[in-house]
Amino acid sequence: MARMNRRGLLGLFAAGSALRAGTAAAQARDAAFLHGVASGDPLADRVILWTRIAAAASISVEWRIWPLAEARPARASGRVETGPERDWTVKVDATGLRPGVEYAYDFAVGDQVSPRGRCRTLPTGAVEDVVLAVASCQLHPGGLFNAWAAVAQMDRLDAVVHLGDYIYEYGSGADAYGMTTGRALGRIPEPAHEIVSLADYRTRHAQYKSDPDLQAAHARAAFICVWDDHEITNDAWLNGAENHQPEEGDWTARKAAALKAYGEWMPIREAGPNGLTEAIQRSFRFGDVAALHMVETRLLARAEQLDYARDLTLMAGPDGTPVPDVAAFEARRNDPARDLLGADQRNWLSGALTAHRDAAWQVLGNQVVMARVAGPDVSALASPEQVEAALSALPPRIAEGLRRVIPLFKAGLPFNLDSWDGYPAARERLYGQFAAAGVQPIVLAGDSHAFWVNELKDVAGARRAAEFGTSAISSPSPGDAVGDLPLGALLNQANPEVVHCDQKAKGFLVLTLTADAAVADLTAVSTILEKPFETRSLGRWRVQKTSEGITAPTRVRT
């Protein structure tokens, strides 16, 4: 056997090092940052930084973060490995930061440098004001993300609160949701089928984060996110979903795939080494002005949604003809066992509300509308002939559904059974928590694709909170579906808790909090079908602090 001398051994080591260096250099040349950068879950001393690197193999990525007012440092803050096990996404919990400071950050692989992002850590102590953009429901085929372009241009922005439906699961079929617009704009879902597998969910997240307007918004400020249903599939609940069928496999496996992709692709802090779980409730403190509590209302404890077509049975009327058994349906809807939050999350929330009682405002980041919203009695504004003429102008499927529910709405039944109206006992339990903690919070809501300003009261008529609901970034709304029927006006007229409702505009809301007031600016974009676009105000609404609690929302004349 030949013997290897010291010089030969060193030569082999050198050759191996050169080979590794050459491989790394080749990887760096081929790498690309195609999905922008993002930050999220800011705290006073840390923030999550995110990007994705397009690469062929596992790769090492440098990251930097520095105060925006200072020059970019020459040395990296750290290095992290990524690869196919997490779809080449990068997530860093950057620590050791200063409170209330705006930072810049970027990533690099060799000479390839990512776009630059910015974010602000949470302030401590006395704070003059807090400015949050609140958004939800961004269907990629539904229209251009012009609202995100507007968010990216905001001069002052502490954080973005995203209330869910960040992606949608639907495919590109002829009757798929939003595809009439999607085909016209060339915004076709990737993959083209309904997403079910981990690879599907990853591909759909990648498509959304390829949108330049969404990338610009992520680069502008840290996001504080919670999922709703479409990150998994439509009308999800504890043990299933309306849009999950047996042929699509095991519900638990589909949910796990969706949450794994969400954890990889979103700038959200993960609680443990096994990634995200259904329990993502968490709080954020903005100095002495606000505490924001993000809750989960889909996967932890939600009972299955009621459905008028399935659950409203018939009984014999006075003349023997079948009529809906409204009393039986209402008894089922008001069953105390119907839950949204679950006992563990309620206990956590009670502790959080009490712990942050010294904040001027407590804010609940919640997915679905909380106000009591009965369906509209359309006969109040239109004759039967006018209603039928309006229905006849709609697509047959929508018209038939409306013909079925209009008589139920006249009887005072809820407009949306997927909202808190489908779980009234759970809502009263939550209001009891507010009262026990001695707080009257601002409730934020998404999901409905409409703007809302609501005054929330318990069954005894006591004011418990004020609610601001944000419309969709691009998802179609019920108002879009009913043509010229004035749905927002009808809902305003039918519901004492509804102060204002706009069922057609798309956009986001800006919530500004000071020691004595919470002000919501409803901001709409002029179009989601083309560029350029303009933004316009749909009104500014103010809730005032008083010695006895809070006032009802009132419109501010500007």
Side-chain angles (χ1 to χ4, degrees), residues 23 48 96 128 174 199 232 238 255 262 281 285-286 320 328 330 352 360 376 460 493 510 516 525 543:
T23 301
I48 294 292
E128 181 178 349
I232 303 95
L238 177 61
K255 180 174 65 174
Y262 188 93
Q281 62 270 17
R285 183 65 185 255
F286 294 81
E330 286 293 79
Q493 185 180 63
V510 179
D516 61 353
V525 293
V543 175

Side-chain angles (χ1 to χ4, degrees), residues 306-308 311-313 325-334 413-414 417:
L306 294 175
D307 179 83
Y308 287 126
D311 298 311
L312 186 59
T313 57
D325 190 346
V326 173
F329 181 84
E330 286 293 79
R332 185 172 177 184
R333 185 172 71 93
N334 285 277
L413 290 178
L417 294 172

Side-chain angles (χ1 to χ4, degrees), residues 427-511:
R427 180 170 54 201
E428 289 302 308
R429 285 193 290 269
L430 180 62
Y431 290 168
Q433 290 181 263
F434 294 165
V439 301
Q440 291 179 302
I442 298 296
V443 173
L444 303 177
D447 180 73
S448 70
H449 309 171
F451 283 112
W452 301 86
V453 179
N454 299 324
E455 183 182 12
L456 304 185
K457 295 183 178 181
D458 63 19
V459 290
R463 183 181 296 135
R464 291 300 173 204
E467 180 174 44
F468 297 124
T470 185
S471 187
I473 296 291
S474 60
S475 303
S477 69
D480 297 328
V482 298
D484 293 332
L485 283 176
L487 183 56
L490 288 165
L491 290 169
N492 283 358
Q493 185 180 63
N495 295 285
E497 289 193 6
V498 179
V499 179
H500 176 77
C501 179
D502 188 310
Q503 285 280 331
K504 287 187 177 293
K506 302 293 182 284
F508 59 99
L509 68 83
V510 179
L511 180 67

Side-chain angles (χ1 to χ4, degrees), residues 221-365:
F223 275 47
I224 298 173
C225 299
V226 65
W227 56 67
D228 193 21
D229 53 339
H230 289 287
E231 288 87 349
I232 303 95
T233 192
N234 183 57
D235 284 358
W237 56 285
L238 177 61
N239 295 318
E242 179 276 333
N243 196 31
H244 180 76
Q245 286 73 46
E247 63 269 20
E248 292 173 321
D250 177 68
W251 164 248
T252 302
R254 182 178 188 177
K255 180 174 65 174
L259 296 191
K260 178 171 173 54
Y262 188 93
E264 292 168 347
W265 279 86
M266 297 296 291
I268 185 171
R269 186 170 283 106
E270 299 181 30
N274 296 322
L276 289 176
T277 69
E278 293 89 337
I280 59 167
Q281 62 270 17
R282 60 216 195 277
S283 295
F284 301 87
R285 183 65 185 255
F286 294 81
D288 61 351
V289 168
L292 169 65
H293 311 294
M294 304 294 286
V295 297
E296 202 286 335
T297 64
R298 282 292 173 188
L299 305 178
L300 272 175
R302 178 186 279 257
E304 185 174 8
Q305 297 87 343
L306 294 175
D307 179 83
Y308 287 126
R310 182 191 66 213
D311 298 311
L312 186 59
T313 57
L314 300 178
M315 65 178 187
D319 60 356
T321 59
V323 296
D325 190 346
V326 173
F329 181 84
E330 286 293 79
R332 185 172 177 184
R333 185 172 71 93
N334 285 277
D335 184 347
R338 293 185 57 74
D339 206 354
L340 279 181
L341 297 179
D344 289 345
Q345 187 171 197
R346 279 196 300 275
N347 291 338
W348 166 81
L349 183 58
S350 289
L353 293 171
T354 301
H356 294 282
R357 196 158 45 194
D358 60 324
W361 294 96
Q362 305 231 25
V363 181
L364 202 68

